[in-house]
Amino acid sequence: MNCLTRVNKFQDGRVGLDSGGVNPSIYAGSSTPDSAPFRVTKEGAVTATSGYIGGWSLAPSSIASSTNPNTANILLDQTNGQIRLGSNTASYLLLDG
């Protein structure tokens, strides 16, 4: 008995799987695949607008070494064009520009 079934597309309104076309292959959080906050293309490119990876906190425009950007020892801030090494509650190095 073959338990593997090929599915070309599955969508329930906020989560979807798509095996072809121009849509991301996996998406969640929106019924519109290209604007879903989490999506993976068939090439493996990942988009995530928030979450955690290996202790790093992801936000829409920053990556921080802790959940609080003010106390993070490392902050990559795309909005302000800054890299900060050290928490801003103590001595730190700020690269701006």
Side-chain angles (χ1 to χ4, degrees):
M1 177 167 83
N2 185 352
C3 295
L4 184 61
T5 302
R6 183 178 172 143
V7 177
N8 287 331
K9 188 170 185 175
F10 166 79
Q11 182 179 9
D12 78 350
R14 295 193 49 92
V15 175
L17 300 173
D18 193 336
S19 66
V22 296
N23 290 332
S25 296
I26 301 169
Y27 54 96
S30 174
S31 58
T32 306
D34 286 335
S35 63
F38 177 79
R39 56 190 179 272
V40 181
T41 67
K42 64 184 177 182
E43 293 80 18
V46 176
T47 298
T49 57
S50 66
Y52 302 95
I53 297 177
W56 290 78
S57 177
L58 305 177
S61 63
S62 67
I63 299 174
S65 62
S66 74
T67 57
N68 182 344
N70 291 322
T71 60
N73 287 321
I74 302 172
L75 175 67
L76 307 175
D77 184 347
Q78 188 247 346
T79 299
N80 297 308
Q82 297 177 340
I83 300 172
R84 191 188 71 230
L85 304 175
S87 138
N88 73 358
T89 60
S91 296
Y92 61 89
L93 173 64
L94 182 65
L95 306 172
D96 190 350

